[in-house]
Amino acid sequence: MSVIYYSIGEFAQKTGTTIRTLRYYDEIGLLSPKKHPHSGRRMYTDDDVLILQKIVSLKFLGYSLEQIHQLLNQTRLDLSLRETLEMQRRLFEEKRKSIEQAIKAMDRILFLLREEKEVDNEVIMSLIHSLQTENEQRRWLEQYLPQSLIDSLFHKSEADMMAMDREWVRLTKKAKQLAGTPVDHPEVEALMEQYMNATLTFVGPDTMQMLGRLEQVEEMVREAETCNWMPSPFTKEEEQWLHQAMEHYMVKKGLIE
């Protein structure tokens, strides 16, 4: 049976591939058809159709052209494909988790923007950075807390997380408005109490008790401050004032000496 040859234009039309792509595949040795002995023009056959189908299928599975080239040169494609498919699946699983995390972050930010109308860019960027580093935060907490408590911190409902975000934004805006006000002013003391209540609500009494019993709690706090998981939305002056206001409140309440 005689072999049917296709020009590059005919082959492109037959397979739904662009001429530019076919030329590139030929240049890198991925799909190299026979050449006409006199004109040097590419001459594709039905065997090339099968090779192209393999290339398209492997690209769909996420393989790079270099990986596809290696696979096509394997004498036992089934074994190599099985091994690399397992690796590809793991990579896609990681990508899926990252995409899901990004979508959740977008939903929470959009919720804030709808509810609060106006939110400082510094506050939004700080929150986004915190959402991006949740996995690092979990790994760090594993050094100090039982897994059950860590799970309780991060496995909250979306509604609870959005409510927490909104409260954090509200408190941050209020703190910026009051920054510089005497720390013994009733409004400032009320704000500090709201900060404490919000922290207790989010962390929970069990975790607070656990933290209170930790011998390394001071070390834990110092290390947390250097990790930069949630860049401060405050200026240095605002941070200093906030620290003084919280210290005054805690002394007044007998929480510290």
Side-chain angles (χ1 to χ4, degrees), residues 29-248:
L30 190 60
L31 177 58
S32 298
K34 292 181 179 180
K35 304 295 192 298
H36 192 280
H38 301 298
S39 66
R41 291 184 177 179
R42 297 174 178 86
M43 301 166 57
Y44 292 89
T45 68
D46 288 329
D47 287 340
D48 293 317
V49 174
L50 297 177
I51 296 173
L52 183 60
Q53 287 175 347
K54 290 180 181 179
I55 294 171
V56 172
S57 298
L58 292 170
K59 278 190 66 180
F60 171 76
L61 294 175
Y63 290 93
S64 67
L65 294 181
E66 183 179 354
Q67 290 173 316
I68 293 172
H69 192 282
Q70 293 173 354
L71 284 170
L72 292 179
N73 287 329
Q74 294 286 337
T75 55
R76 292 192 60 190
L77 180 59
D78 58 338
L79 179 60
S80 299
L81 184 60
R82 185 167 63 250
E83 292 172 346
T84 55
L85 270 176
E86 291 175 354
M87 179 183 68
Q88 285 295 106
R89 192 188 186 287
R90 288 193 295 270
L91 292 174
F92 273 113
E93 184 67 22
E94 289 299 318
K95 288 181 181 178
R96 182 182 67 81
K97 291 178 181 177
S98 297
I99 291 171
E100 288 178 350
Q101 186 177 11
I103 291 174
K104 287 182 179 179
M106 291 177 190
D107 287 342
R108 286 168 64 176
I109 299 301
L110 287 170
F111 170 79
L112 279 178
L113 294 174
R114 284 194 298 266
E115 295 296 318
E116 296 297 321
K117 302 299 187 290
E118 292 184 8
V119 184
D120 288 348
N121 286 338
E122 292 82 0
V123 175
I124 293 296
M125 292 301 108
S126 178
L127 181 57
I128 291 174
H129 188 78
S130 176
L131 295 173
Q132 287 177 319
T133 57
E134 278 190 358
N135 290 334
E136 289 85 347
Q137 295 173 46
R138 286 181 65 104
R139 286 193 291 269
W140 177 76
L141 285 172
E142 287 172 357
Q143 303 174 69
Y144 302 99
L145 301 177
Q147 190 63 46
S148 58
L149 286 181
I150 296 173
D151 290 341
S152 70
L153 288 174
F154 289 92
H155 290 175
K156 297 182 181 296
S157 69
E158 285 301 303
D160 287 343
M161 296 301 288
M162 288 180 176
M164 181 199 70
D165 292 341
R166 190 178 184 187
E167 179 67 0
W168 180 76
V169 169
R170 186 188 69 80
L171 293 173
T172 301
K173 289 168 69 174
K174 187 65 175 178
K176 283 181 167 290
Q177 292 170 2
L178 291 176
T181 304
V183 296
D184 58 352
H185 190 283
E187 274 195 275
V188 177
E189 292 181 347
L191 177 63
M192 296 305 105
E193 185 165 1
Q194 291 170 34
Y195 261 115
M196 291 293 290
N197 290 337
T199 302
L200 182 61
T201 299
F202 173 67
V203 174
D206 291 341
T207 304
M208 290 296 287
Q209 290 178 9
M210 173 69 70
L211 290 173
R213 293 194 297 267
L214 279 177
E215 295 181 0
Q216 321 99 300
V217 65
E218 292 185 3
E219 174 191 343
M220 181 181 177
V221 172
R222 285 196 301 270
E223 188 177 342
E225 290 175 348
T226 63
C227 288
N228 199 34
W229 287 318
M230 193 168 189
S232 175
F234 299 107
T235 64
K236 289 184 178 180
E237 292 76 14
E238 290 170 341
E239 281 187 356
Q240 185 177 11
W241 172 84
L242 192 59
H243 177 77
Q244 292 171 350
M246 182 58 73
E247 186 176 38
H248 165 78

Side-chain angles (χ1 to χ4, degrees), residues 3-29:
V3 178
I4 300 175
Y5 291 100
Y6 307 96
S7 68
I8 190 170
E10 292 170 335
F11 190 77
Q13 186 174 12
K14 179 180 178 67
T15 59
T17 310
T18 66
I19 292 176
R20 181 179 179 182
T21 296
L22 292 173
R23 285 174 176 162
Y24 180 64
Y25 286 175
D26 187 13
E27 289 173 7
I28 64 175

